[in-house]
Amino acid sequence: MAAAMKVICMMFLVALITLIFHTHHAHGAISADTQKLIDEANMNGPYLGLLIPNLFEMNPLLQHPNYTSTNFTIDIAGRRFRFGKIVEKNVILVMTGLSMINAGITSQLLLTLFKIEGVVHYGIAGNANPSLHIGFVTIPQYWSHSALWSWQRYGYGPSDELPLETNGDYTRTIGYIKFADYAENVTACNSHDNLLNNVWFQPEEVFPVDGTPEQRQHAFWIPVDPLYFNISKSLEDMELENCVNATTCLDETPRVVQVHGGTSAGIYVDNAAYRSFIYNKFNVSPVDMESAAVALICMQQRVPFIIIRALSDLAGGGSAESNEIDTFISLASNNSVNVVVEFIKRLVATPLVSDH
């Protein structure tokens, strides 16, 4: 009887441990099998990490003749990490999904789980720069997140202190947008106003890995890696796709351009007034929904990165009847992929990159 009870107790203990394991796994812990795959993958590292917003931007790379898949993938936290080579560079491809939050989560997972020597983020973007055109591929030197705001109460203005400003939580140094400046049919009025008042742009709180935990720093403009940016200068001589098909071609031949800045927010911009505002205020060209999150994570983790965005639409700057992105999304995606592959070729050929 005692022996039988001992067996029953052991069976109960095993069942309990199994239940606890599966409960933890369901709440985000990495299983032993997955951790083994991660360890095996890291033995072949380091890797260049490629963060890609959507499948329509990833698929042209998967089909590119210079990409070789190892047919090895690891699925973690709803993300699929694909392993392969571009030229002779070991790479990990992962789709982030739309938005700053998805891009930030995926970036941190990539850098935490795998041996990553650098990050390339690419995709399509809206264009705020009136001197550039659809199909152009932009490589900004700086990125910002332009949707962290302090929304000022009605009746207050630029000379009024923001709530918590004295604590260092918010600032008036970056600037603001005044909604009353964009009211319509009020030019005959001596004065006009808007109850939405002003929105002040704010820097992100950042916590670099080489800083002091819980001691915040602030950053609005995040620079890309200087070596990567210098290498990308040589891409300006590339030939890019100009036609979607035999009957639909661009008026301006696309090219690769280095630009001052790009900006990201959880907003799809298709508004001419806002397009003009952010260009004039911040001198940005590509406008998207993910890149600043990638930049902020890489900056805090001290991992070199570069961001390459092809312009697929005019962010509201086109005609009222136009919907450029539906027409040129495939062309822009292909152009971004071709530039990324060429960048990696030139990165591999650059001396002393391994010591960077």
Side-chain angles (χ1 to χ4, degrees), residues 153-202:
R153 73 172 59 187
Y154 179 71
Y156 284 34
S159 61
D160 296 305
E161 189 175 278
L162 300 175
L164 302 177
E165 187 174 346
T166 54
N167 295 344
D169 292 303
Y170 297 101
T171 180
R172 284 172 288 160
T173 59
I174 297 171
Y176 68 101
I177 182 170
K178 182 178 180 180
F179 285 94
D181 289 344
Y182 298 90
E184 183 129 66
N185 300 323
V186 293
T187 54
C189 300
N190 292 327
S191 64
H192 60 277
D193 214 339
N194 191 306
L195 292 175
L196 293 174
N197 202 27
N198 306 320
V199 161
W200 291 84
F201 295 89
Q202 301 299 314

mmCIF file of all heavy atoms in Angstrom, residues 153-202:
data_model
loop_
_atom_site.group_PDB
_atom_site.id
_atom_site.type_symbol
_atom_site.label_atom_id
_atom_site.label_comp_id
_atom_site.label_asym_id
_atom_site.label_seq_id
_atom_site.Cartn_x
_atom_site.Cartn_y
_atom_site.Cartn_z
ATOM 1 N N ARG A 153 -3.597 72.794 -22.391
ATOM 2 C CA ARG A 153 -4.990 73.164 -22.197
ATOM 3 C C ARG A 153 -5.314 74.479 -22.908
ATOM 4 O O ARG A 153 -4.453 75.334 -23.099
ATOM 5 C CB ARG A 153 -5.343 73.263 -20.712
ATOM 6 C CG ARG A 153 -4.783 74.468 -19.994
ATOM 7 C CD ARG A 153 -5.347 74.579 -18.587
ATOM 8 N NE ARG A 153 -5.042 73.401 -17.790
ATOM 9 C CZ ARG A 153 -5.547 73.196 -16.561
ATOM 10 N NH1 ARG A 153 -6.376 74.095 -16.021
ATOM 11 N NH2 ARG A 153 -5.217 72.123 -15.881
ATOM 12 N N TYR A 154 -6.579 74.615 -23.270
ATOM 13 C CA TYR A 154 -7.027 75.804 -23.985
ATOM 14 C C TYR A 154 -6.840 77.050 -23.109
ATOM 15 O O TYR A 154 -7.112 77.040 -21.908
ATOM 16 C CB TYR A 154 -8.492 75.654 -24.370
ATOM 17 C CG TYR A 154 -9.050 76.858 -25.099
ATOM 18 C CD1 TYR A 154 -8.653 77.135 -26.399
ATOM 19 C CD2 TYR A 154 -9.942 77.720 -24.469
ATOM 20 C CE1 TYR A 154 -9.146 78.234 -27.081
ATOM 21 C CE2 TYR A 154 -10.446 78.823 -25.145
ATOM 22 C CZ TYR A 154 -10.041 79.075 -26.440
ATOM 23 O OH TYR A 154 -10.528 80.177 -27.109
ATOM 24 N N GLY A 155 -6.368 78.108 -23.736
ATOM 25 C CA GLY A 155 -6.137 79.360 -23.023
ATOM 26 C C GLY A 155 -4.689 79.581 -22.659
ATOM 27 O O GLY A 155 -4.289 80.698 -22.321
ATOM 28 N N TYR A 156 -3.875 78.500 -22.718
ATOM 29 C CA TYR A 156 -2.458 78.618 -22.422
ATOM 30 C C TYR A 156 -1.690 78.700 -23.737
ATOM 31 O O TYR A 156 -2.144 78.238 -24.771
ATOM 32 C CB TYR A 156 -1.968 77.422 -21.602
ATOM 33 C CG TYR A 156 -2.380 77.462 -20.144
ATOM 34 C CD1 TYR A 156 -3.591 78.001 -19.741
ATOM 35 C CD2 TYR A 156 -1.544 76.938 -19.169
ATOM 36 C CE1 TYR A 156 -3.969 78.020 -18.404
ATOM 37 C CE2 TYR A 156 -1.909 76.950 -17.834
ATOM 38 C CZ TYR A 156 -3.127 77.498 -17.454
ATOM 39 O OH TYR A 156 -3.489 77.522 -16.140
ATOM 40 N N GLY A 157 -0.484 79.278 -23.678
ATOM 41 C CA GLY A 157 0.306 79.453 -24.884
ATOM 42 C C GLY A 157 1.771 79.171 -24.680
ATOM 43 O O GLY A 157 2.179 78.606 -23.639
ATOM 44 N N PRO A 158 2.608 79.583 -25.631
ATOM 45 C CA PRO A 158 4.038 79.257 -25.597
ATOM 46 C C PRO A 158 4.783 79.758 -24.367
ATOM 47 O O PRO A 158 5.797 79.177 -23.982
ATOM 48 C CB PRO A 158 4.569 79.922 -26.870
ATOM 49 C CG PRO A 158 3.394 80.021 -27.770
ATOM 50 C CD PRO A 158 2.221 80.262 -26.886
ATOM 51 N N SER A 159 4.305 80.806 -23.747
ATOM 52 C CA SER A 159 4.998 81.335 -22.563
ATOM 53 C C SER A 159 4.570 80.658 -21.273
ATOM 54 O O SER A 159 5.141 80.924 -20.211
ATOM 55 C CB SER A 159 4.765 82.846 -22.450
ATOM 56 O OG SER A 159 3.380 83.128 -22.296
ATOM 57 N N ASP A 160 3.577 79.787 -21.346
ATOM 58 C CA ASP A 160 3.073 79.117 -20.146
ATOM 59 C C ASP A 160 3.756 77.775 -19.940
ATOM 60 O O ASP A 160 3.855 76.964 -20.866
ATOM 61 C CB ASP A 160 1.556 78.907 -20.247
ATOM 62 C CG ASP A 160 0.793 80.221 -20.283
ATOM 63 O OD1 ASP A 160 0.977 81.038 -19.362
ATOM 64 O OD2 ASP A 160 0.035 80.433 -21.258
ATOM 65 N N GLU A 161 4.179 77.548 -18.716
ATOM 66 C CA GLU A 161 4.874 76.304 -18.378
ATOM 67 C C GLU A 161 3.937 75.106 -18.517
ATOM 68 O O GLU A 161 2.754 75.181 -18.168
ATOM 69 C CB GLU A 161 5.394 76.400 -16.947
ATOM 70 C CG GLU A 161 6.311 75.272 -16.534
ATOM 71 C CD GLU A 161 6.877 75.517 -15.130
ATOM 72 O OE1 GLU A 161 7.862 76.273 -15.019
ATOM 73 O OE2 GLU A 161 6.316 74.957 -14.171
ATOM 74 N N LEU A 162 4.469 74.001 -19.013
ATOM 75 C CA LEU A 162 3.689 72.777 -19.144
ATOM 76 C C LEU A 162 3.603 72.058 -17.792
ATOM 77 O O LEU A 162 4.495 72.208 -16.947
ATOM 78 C CB LEU A 162 4.340 71.844 -20.169
ATOM 79 C CG LEU A 162 4.487 72.373 -21.589
ATOM 80 C CD1 LEU A 162 5.266 71.371 -22.437
ATOM 81 C CD2 LEU A 162 3.136 72.662 -22.212
ATOM 82 N N PRO A 163 2.548 71.269 -17.562
ATOM 83 C CA PRO A 163 2.506 70.460 -16.345
ATOM 84 C C PRO A 163 3.736 69.554 -16.249
ATOM 85 O O PRO A 163 4.162 68.961 -17.251
ATOM 86 C CB PRO A 163 1.231 69.630 -16.521
ATOM 87 C CG PRO A 163 0.377 70.433 -17.456
ATOM 88 C CD PRO A 163 1.337 71.115 -18.381
ATOM 89 N N LEU A 164 4.322 69.485 -15.062
ATOM 90 C CA LEU A 164 5.489 68.641 -14.756
ATOM 91 C C LEU A 164 6.757 69.076 -15.498
ATOM 92 O O LEU A 164 7.741 68.345 -15.509
ATOM 93 C CB LEU A 164 5.194 67.167 -15.058
ATOM 94 C CG LEU A 164 4.008 66.553 -14.309
ATOM 95 C CD1 LEU A 164 3.786 65.111 -14.745
ATOM 96 C CD2 LEU A 164 4.217 66.606 -12.801
ATOM 97 N N GLU A 165 6.739 70.247 -16.098
ATOM 98 C CA GLU A 165 7.929 70.719 -16.800
ATOM 99 C C GLU A 165 9.095 70.934 -15.840
ATOM 100 O O GLU A 165 10.252 70.624 -16.168
ATOM 101 C CB GLU A 165 7.615 72.013 -17.552
ATOM 102 C CG GLU A 165 8.756 72.493 -18.445
ATOM 103 C CD GLU A 165 8.392 73.689 -19.295
ATOM 104 O OE1 GLU A 165 7.184 74.011 -19.418
ATOM 105 O OE2 GLU A 165 9.321 74.315 -19.861
ATOM 106 N N THR A 166 8.805 71.460 -14.648
ATOM 107 C CA THR A 166 9.877 71.717 -13.680
ATOM 108 C C THR A 166 10.515 70.424 -13.184
ATOM 109 O O THR A 166 11.659 70.421 -12.736
ATOM 110 C CB THR A 166 9.352 72.512 -12.479
ATOM 111 O OG1 THR A 166 8.228 71.829 -11.912
ATOM 112 C CG2 THR A 166 8.930 73.912 -12.904
ATOM 113 N N ASN A 167 9.773 69.309 -13.269
ATOM 114 C CA ASN A 167 10.315 68.001 -12.860
ATOM 115 C C ASN A 167 11.194 67.373 -13.938
ATOM 116 O O ASN A 167 11.807 66.330 -13.708
ATOM 117 C CB ASN A 167 9.181 67.025 -12.541
ATOM 118 C CG ASN A 167 8.367 67.440 -11.337
ATOM 119 O OD1 ASN A 167 8.796 68.283 -10.552
ATOM 120 N ND2 ASN A 167 7.192 66.854 -11.195
ATOM 121 N N GLY A 168 11.220 67.985 -15.124
ATOM 122 C CA GLY A 168 11.980 67.410 -16.219
ATOM 123 C C GLY A 168 11.205 66.392 -17.024
ATOM 124 O O GLY A 168 11.769 65.716 -17.887
ATOM 125 N N ASP A 169 9.883 66.249 -16.749
ATOM 126 C CA ASP A 169 9.079 65.274 -17.489
ATOM 127 C C ASP A 169 8.732 65.771 -18.886
ATOM 128 O O ASP A 169 8.655 64.986 -19.828
ATOM 129 C CB ASP A 169 7.790 64.965 -16.728
ATOM 130 C CG ASP A 169 8.045 64.220 -15.433
ATOM 131 O OD1 ASP A 169 8.655 63.146 -15.485
ATOM 132 O OD2 ASP A 169 7.649 64.737 -14.369
ATOM 133 N N TYR A 170 8.477 67.082 -19.004
ATOM 134 C CA TYR A 170 8.071 67.633 -20.289
ATOM 135 C C TYR A 170 8.858 68.908 -20.572
ATOM 136 O O TYR A 170 9.409 69.530 -19.654
ATOM 137 C CB TYR A 170 6.562 67.897 -20.306
ATOM 138 C CG TYR A 170 5.765 66.630 -20.138
ATOM 139 C CD1 TYR A 170 5.207 66.293 -18.899
ATOM 140 C CD2 TYR A 170 5.598 65.752 -21.196
ATOM 141 C CE1 TYR A 170 4.502 65.112 -18.741
ATOM 142 C CE2 TYR A 170 4.896 64.575 -21.046
ATOM 143 C CZ TYR A 170 4.349 64.257 -19.812
ATOM 144 O OH TYR A 170 3.674 63.087 -19.661
ATOM 145 N N THR A 171 8.905 69.281 -21.848
ATOM 146 C CA THR A 171 9.734 70.406 -22.253
ATOM 147 C C THR A 171 9.067 71.191 -23.379
ATOM 148 O O THR A 171 8.226 70.642 -24.119
ATOM 149 C CB THR A 171 11.117 69.908 -22.722
ATOM 150 O OG1 THR A 171 11.920 71.023 -23.125
ATOM 151 C CG2 THR A 171 10.985 68.963 -23.915
ATOM 152 N N ARG A 172 9.454 72.465 -23.517
ATOM 153 C CA ARG A 172 9.002 73.291 -24.636
ATOM 154 C C ARG A 172 10.144 73.559 -25.618
ATOM 155 O O ARG A 172 10.016 74.441 -26.481
ATOM 156 C CB ARG A 172 8.455 74.621 -24.099
ATOM 157 C CG ARG A 172 7.066 74.513 -23.459
ATOM 158 C CD ARG A 172 6.669 75.823 -22.786
ATOM 159 N NE ARG A 172 7.438 76.024 -21.567
ATOM 160 C CZ ARG A 172 7.612 77.208 -20.962
ATOM 161 N NH1 ARG A 172 7.066 78.304 -21.495
ATOM 162 N NH2 ARG A 172 8.321 77.307 -19.854
ATOM 163 N N THR A 173 11.222 72.834 -25.492
ATOM 164 C CA THR A 173 12.404 73.135 -26.306
ATOM 165 C C THR A 173 12.281 72.646 -27.751
ATOM 166 O O THR A 173 12.910 73.212 -28.648
ATOM 167 C CB THR A 173 13.662 72.517 -25.679
ATOM 168 O OG1 THR A 173 13.489 71.091 -25.584
ATOM 169 C CG2 THR A 173 13.904 73.083 -24.278
ATOM 170 N N ILE A 174 11.497 71.594 -28.000
ATOM 171 C CA ILE A 174 11.432 71.008 -29.347
ATOM 172 C C ILE A 174 10.455 71.757 -30.233
ATOM 173 O O ILE A 174 10.701 71.933 -31.432
ATOM 174 C CB ILE A 174 11.070 69.513 -29.264
ATOM 175 C CG1 ILE A 174 12.181 68.760 -28.522
ATOM 176 C CG2 ILE A 174 10.853 68.917 -30.649
ATOM 177 C CD1 ILE A 174 11.843 67.330 -28.188
ATOM 178 N N GLY A 175 9.363 72.241 -29.664
ATOM 179 C CA GLY A 175 8.405 72.995 -30.446
ATOM 180 C C GLY A 175 7.008 72.416 -30.378
ATOM 181 O O GLY A 175 6.768 71.401 -29.719
ATOM 182 N N TYR A 176 6.085 73.067 -31.069
ATOM 183 C CA TYR A 176 4.679 72.682 -30.971
ATOM 184 C C TYR A 176 3.958 72.954 -32.286
ATOM 185 O O TYR A 176 4.459 73.667 -33.160
ATOM 186 C CB TYR A 176 4.005 73.446 -29.828
ATOM 187 C CG TYR A 176 3.855 74.940 -30.072
ATOM 188 C CD1 TYR A 176 2.628 75.472 -30.473
ATOM 189 C CD2 TYR A 176 4.937 75.813 -29.904
ATOM 190 C CE1 TYR A 176 2.480 76.844 -30.703
ATOM 191 C CE2 TYR A 176 4.799 77.172 -30.122
ATOM 192 C CZ TYR A 176 3.575 77.688 -30.522
ATOM 193 O OH TYR A 176 3.425 79.036 -30.750
ATOM 194 N N ILE A 177 2.758 72.387 -32.383
ATOM 195 C CA ILE A 177 1.862 72.699 -33.485
ATOM 196 C C ILE A 177 0.633 73.380 -32.904
ATOM 197 O O ILE A 177 0.072 72.924 -31.897
ATOM 198 C CB ILE A 177 1.477 71.431 -34.298
ATOM 199 C CG1 ILE A 177 0.575 71.812 -35.472
ATOM 200 C CG2 ILE A 177 0.834 70.360 -33.425
ATOM 201 C CD1 ILE A 177 0.332 70.673 -36.457
ATOM 202 N N LYS A 178 0.250 74.488 -33.499
ATOM 203 C CA LYS A 178 -0.912 75.260 -33.056
ATOM 204 C C LYS A 178 -2.073 74.976 -34.000
ATOM 205 O O LYS A 178 -2.022 75.298 -35.186
ATOM 206 C CB LYS A 178 -0.579 76.755 -33.055
ATOM 207 C CG LYS A 178 -1.710 77.639 -32.552
ATOM 208 C CD LYS A 178 -1.282 79.111 -32.547
ATOM 209 C CE LYS A 178 -2.412 80.003 -32.036
ATOM 210 N NZ LYS A 178 -1.999 81.431 -32.029
ATOM 211 N N PHE A 179 -3.124 74.371 -33.473
ATOM 212 C CA PHE A 179 -4.229 73.954 -34.329
ATOM 213 C C PHE A 179 -4.948 75.137 -34.968
ATOM 214 O O PHE A 179 -5.460 75.029 -36.086
ATOM 215 C CB PHE A 179 -5.215 73.098 -33.527
ATOM 216 C CG PHE A 179 -4.715 71.704 -33.275
ATOM 217 C CD1 PHE A 179 -4.048 71.391 -32.103
ATOM 218 C CD2 PHE A 179 -4.880 70.709 -34.223
ATOM 219 C CE1 PHE A 179 -3.564 70.114 -31.875
ATOM 220 C CE2 PHE A 179 -4.415 69.427 -34.002
ATOM 221 C CZ PHE A 179 -3.741 69.128 -32.829
ATOM 222 N N ALA A 180 -4.972 76.275 -34.294
ATOM 223 C CA ALA A 180 -5.657 77.439 -34.850
ATOM 224 C C ALA A 180 -5.020 77.901 -36.156
ATOM 225 O O ALA A 180 -5.689 78.532 -36.984
ATOM 226 C CB ALA A 180 -5.657 78.578 -33.832
ATOM 227 N N ASP A 181 -3.742 77.580 -36.358
ATOM 228 C CA ASP A 181 -3.076 77.969 -37.605
ATOM 229 C C ASP A 181 -3.609 77.196 -38.806
ATOM 230 O O ASP A 181 -3.310 77.546 -39.953
ATOM 231 C CB ASP A 181 -1.565 77.739 -37.493
ATOM 232 C CG ASP A 181 -0.894 78.729 -36.551
ATOM 233 O OD1 ASP A 181 -1.518 79.752 -36.225
ATOM 234 O OD2 ASP A 181 0.245 78.458 -36.131
ATOM 235 N N TYR A 182 -4.381 76.151 -38.552
ATOM 236 C CA TYR A 182 -4.878 75.309 -39.634
ATOM 237 C C TYR A 182 -6.397 75.355 -39.749
ATOM 238 O O TYR A 182 -7.007 74.492 -40.367
ATOM 239 C CB TYR A 182 -4.378 73.878 -39.442
ATOM 240 C CG TYR A 182 -2.867 73.818 -39.501
ATOM 241 C CD1 TYR A 182 -2.102 73.974 -38.353
ATOM 242 C CD2 TYR A 182 -2.211 73.705 -40.712
ATOM 243 C CE1 TYR A 182 -0.715 73.973 -38.400
ATOM 244 C CE2 TYR A 182 -0.826 73.719 -40.782
ATOM 245 C CZ TYR A 182 -0.087 73.853 -39.626
ATOM 246 O OH TYR A 182 1.290 73.876 -39.690
ATOM 247 N N ALA A 183 -6.986 76.401 -39.157
ATOM 248 C CA ALA A 183 -8.429 76.602 -39.316
ATOM 249 C C ALA A 183 -8.717 77.114 -40.723
ATOM 250 O O ALA A 183 -7.864 77.727 -41.367
ATOM 251 C CB ALA A 183 -8.936 77.591 -38.272
ATOM 252 N N GLU A 184 -9.935 76.869 -41.194
ATOM 253 C CA GLU A 184 -10.308 77.244 -42.559
ATOM 254 C C GLU A 184 -11.402 78.298 -42.533
ATOM 255 O O GLU A 184 -12.192 78.372 -41.605
ATOM 256 C CB GLU A 184 -10.812 75.999 -43.317
ATOM 257 C CG GLU A 184 -11.154 76.303 -44.756
ATOM 258 C CD GLU A 184 -10.480 75.323 -45.708
ATOM 259 O OE1 GLU A 184 -10.839 74.160 -45.641
ATOM 260 O OE2 GLU A 184 -9.603 75.750 -46.479
ATOM 261 N N ASN A 185 -11.403 79.133 -43.584
ATOM 262 C CA ASN A 185 -12.446 80.144 -43.780
ATOM 263 C C ASN A 185 -12.519 81.146 -42.633
ATOM 264 O O ASN A 185 -13.599 81.556 -42.208
ATOM 265 C CB ASN A 185 -13.817 79.475 -43.970
ATOM 266 C CG ASN A 185 -13.841 78.561 -45.172
ATOM 267 O OD1 ASN A 185 -13.238 78.863 -46.193
ATOM 268 N ND2 ASN A 185 -14.540 77.439 -45.046
ATOM 269 N N VAL A 186 -11.352 81.528 -42.100
ATOM 270 C CA VAL A 186 -11.336 82.505 -41.010
ATOM 271 C C VAL A 186 -10.424 83.680 -41.335
ATOM 272 O O VAL A 186 -10.130 84.500 -40.475
ATOM 273 C CB VAL A 186 -10.885 81.855 -39.684
ATOM 274 C CG1 VAL A 186 -11.895 80.852 -39.204
ATOM 275 C CG2 VAL A 186 -9.506 81.219 -39.852
ATOM 276 N N THR A 187 -10.000 83.793 -42.570
ATOM 277 C CA THR A 187 -9.032 84.834 -42.923
ATOM 278 C C THR A 187 -9.609 86.227 -42.762
ATOM 279 O O THR A 187 -8.874 87.198 -42.571
ATOM 280 C CB THR A 187 -8.551 84.640 -44.365
ATOM 281 O OG1 THR A 187 -9.689 84.572 -45.239
ATOM 282 C CG2 THR A 187 -7.734 83.365 -44.494
ATOM 283 N N ALA A 188 -10.928 86.353 -42.829
ATOM 284 C CA ALA A 188 -11.544 87.674 -42.686
ATOM 285 C C ALA A 188 -11.712 88.090 -41.228
ATOM 286 O O ALA A 188 -12.058 89.233 -40.941
ATOM 287 C CB ALA A 188 -12.902 87.689 -43.386
ATOM 288 N N CYS A 189 -11.474 87.160 -40.308
ATOM 289 C CA CYS A 189 -11.644 87.452 -38.886
ATOM 290 C C CYS A 189 -10.403 88.153 -38.340
ATOM 291 O O CYS A 189 -9.280 87.855 -38.742
ATOM 292 C CB CYS A 189 -11.900 86.177 -38.091
ATOM 293 S SG CYS A 189 -13.388 85.299 -38.619
ATOM 294 N N ASN A 190 -10.628 89.061 -37.390
ATOM 295 C CA ASN A 190 -9.496 89.722 -36.746
ATOM 296 C C ASN A 190 -8.692 88.752 -35.887
ATOM 297 O O ASN A 190 -7.490 88.897 -35.715
ATOM 298 C CB ASN A 190 -9.990 90.890 -35.889
ATOM 299 C CG ASN A 190 -10.564 92.006 -36.750
ATOM 300 O OD1 ASN A 190 -10.102 92.226 -37.873
ATOM 301 N ND2 ASN A 190 -11.578 92.697 -36.233
ATOM 302 N N SER A 191 -9.370 87.795 -35.300
ATOM 303 C CA SER A 191 -8.692 86.788 -34.480
ATOM 304 C C SER A 191 -9.478 85.489 -34.577
ATOM 305 O O SER A 191 -10.673 85.484 -34.787
ATOM 306 C CB SER A 191 -8.594 87.244 -33.022
ATOM 307 O OG SER A 191 -9.879 87.378 -32.458
ATOM 308 N N HIS A 192 -8.772 84.397 -34.435
ATOM 309 C CA HIS A 192 -9.429 83.101 -34.435
ATOM 310 C C HIS A 192 -8.668 82.160 -33.514
ATOM 311 O O HIS A 192 -7.503 82.382 -33.208
ATOM 312 C CB HIS A 192 -9.518 82.513 -35.855
ATOM 313 C CG HIS A 192 -8.198 82.307 -36.517
ATOM 314 N ND1 HIS A 192 -7.540 83.327 -37.170
ATOM 315 C CD2 HIS A 192 -7.407 81.211 -36.638
ATOM 316 C CE1 HIS A 192 -6.402 82.866 -37.669
ATOM 317 N NE2 HIS A 192 -6.300 81.586 -37.366
ATOM 318 N N ASP A 193 -9.332 81.134 -33.070
ATOM 319 C CA ASP A 193 -8.723 80.217 -32.120
ATOM 320 C C ASP A 193 -9.298 78.825 -32.344
ATOM 321 O O ASP A 193 -10.183 78.622 -33.167
ATOM 322 C CB ASP A 193 -8.976 80.691 -30.680
ATOM 323 C CG ASP A 193 -7.805 80.375 -29.766
ATOM 324 O OD1 ASP A 193 -7.019 79.472 -30.117
ATOM 325 O OD2 ASP A 193 -7.667 81.022 -28.717
ATOM 326 N N ASN A 194 -8.776 77.869 -31.577
ATOM 327 C CA ASN A 194 -9.229 76.485 -31.702
ATOM 328 C C ASN A 194 -9.138 75.845 -30.331
ATOM 329 O O ASN A 194 -8.103 75.948 -29.655
ATOM 330 C CB ASN A 194 -8.335 75.737 -32.705
ATOM 331 C CG ASN A 194 -8.899 74.388 -33.084
ATOM 332 O OD1 ASN A 194 -9.198 73.567 -32.225
ATOM 333 N ND2 ASN A 194 -9.032 74.151 -34.375
ATOM 334 N N LEU A 195 -10.203 75.196 -29.925
ATOM 335 C CA LEU A 195 -10.233 74.584 -28.593
ATOM 336 C C LEU A 195 -9.188 73.489 -28.427
ATOM 337 O O LEU A 195 -8.809 73.152 -27.299
ATOM 338 C CB LEU A 195 -11.636 74.020 -28.315
ATOM 339 C CG LEU A 195 -12.755 75.058 -28.156
ATOM 340 C CD1 LEU A 195 -14.100 74.365 -28.018
ATOM 341 C CD2 LEU A 195 -12.492 75.962 -26.949
ATOM 342 N N LEU A 196 -8.691 72.924 -29.531
ATOM 343 C CA LEU A 196 -7.634 71.917 -29.429
ATOM 344 C C LEU A 196 -6.288 72.531 -29.044
ATOM 345 O O LEU A 196 -5.367 71.812 -28.642
ATOM 346 C CB LEU A 196 -7.505 71.149 -30.747
ATOM 347 C CG LEU A 196 -8.696 70.258 -31.102
ATOM 348 C CD1 LEU A 196 -8.514 69.661 -32.491
ATOM 349 C CD2 LEU A 196 -8.882 69.157 -30.069
ATOM 350 N N ASN A 197 -6.151 73.841 -29.224
ATOM 351 C CA ASN A 197 -5.004 74.613 -28.758
ATOM 352 C C ASN A 197 -3.684 74.135 -29.340
ATOM 353 O O ASN A 197 -3.529 74.070 -30.553
ATOM 354 C CB ASN A 197 -4.963 74.641 -27.228
ATOM 355 C CG ASN A 197 -4.153 75.807 -26.692
ATOM 356 O OD1 ASN A 197 -4.040 76.838 -27.341
ATOM 357 N ND2 ASN A 197 -3.582 75.658 -25.516
ATOM 358 N N ASN A 198 -2.705 73.749 -28.487
ATOM 359 C CA ASN A 198 -1.345 73.416 -28.923
ATOM 360 C C ASN A 198 -0.940 72.020 -28.474
ATOM 361 O O ASN A 198 -1.305 71.576 -27.381
ATOM 362 C CB ASN A 198 -0.329 74.403 -28.333
ATOM 363 C CG ASN A 198 -0.668 75.846 -28.637
ATOM 364 O OD1 ASN A 198 -1.095 76.172 -29.742
ATOM 365 N ND2 ASN A 198 -0.483 76.722 -27.655
ATOM 366 N N VAL A 199 -0.148 71.370 -29.296
ATOM 367 C CA VAL A 199 0.506 70.116 -28.923
ATOM 368 C C VAL A 199 2.011 70.336 -28.961
ATOM 369 O O VAL A 199 2.558 70.779 -29.978
ATOM 370 C CB VAL A 199 0.105 68.968 -29.879
ATOM 371 C CG1 VAL A 199 1.090 67.819 -29.794
ATOM 372 C CG2 VAL A 199 -1.303 68.470 -29.566
ATOM 373 N N TRP A 200 2.680 70.033 -27.850
ATOM 374 C CA TRP A 200 4.136 70.186 -27.749
ATOM 375 C C TRP A 200 4.810 68.834 -27.948
ATOM 376 O O TRP A 200 4.458 67.845 -27.291
ATOM 377 C CB TRP A 200 4.513 70.758 -26.383
ATOM 378 C CG TRP A 200 4.083 72.182 -26.204
ATOM 379 C CD1 TRP A 200 2.850 72.627 -25.801
ATOM 380 C CD2 TRP A 200 4.866 73.351 -26.444
ATOM 381 N NE1 TRP A 200 2.815 73.996 -25.777
ATOM 382 C CE2 TRP A 200 4.044 74.479 -26.166
ATOM 383 C CE3 TRP A 200 6.185 73.563 -26.872
ATOM 384 C CZ2 TRP A 200 4.500 75.782 -26.291
ATOM 385 C CZ3 TRP A 200 6.630 74.864 -26.994
ATOM 386 C CH2 TRP A 200 5.804 75.959 -26.712
ATOM 387 N N PHE A 201 5.784 68.791 -28.837
ATOM 388 C CA PHE A 201 6.509 67.551 -29.122
ATOM 389 C C PHE A 201 7.520 67.283 -28.010
ATOM 390 O O PHE A 201 8.206 68.198 -27.545
ATOM 391 C CB PHE A 201 7.206 67.654 -30.482
ATOM 392 C CG PHE A 201 6.240 67.775 -31.619
ATOM 393 C CD1 PHE A 201 5.793 69.022 -32.052
ATOM 394 C CD2 PHE A 201 5.745 66.642 -32.252
ATOM 395 C CE1 PHE A 201 4.891 69.138 -33.097
ATOM 396 C CE2 PHE A 201 4.845 66.746 -33.292
ATOM 397 C CZ PHE A 201 4.414 67.999 -33.714
ATOM 398 N N GLN A 202 7.621 66.004 -27.632
ATOM 399 C CA GLN A 202 8.448 65.632 -26.494
ATOM 400 C C GLN A 202 9.520 64.599 -26.871
ATOM 401 O O GLN A 202 9.300 63.772 -27.768
ATOM 402 C CB GLN A 202 7.576 65.043 -25.378
ATOM 403 C CG GLN A 202 6.499 65.982 -24.869
ATOM 404 C CD GLN A 202 7.082 67.254 -24.279
ATOM 405 O OE1 GLN A 202 8.040 67.207 -23.507
ATOM 406 N NE2 GLN A 202 6.501 68.401 -24.637
#
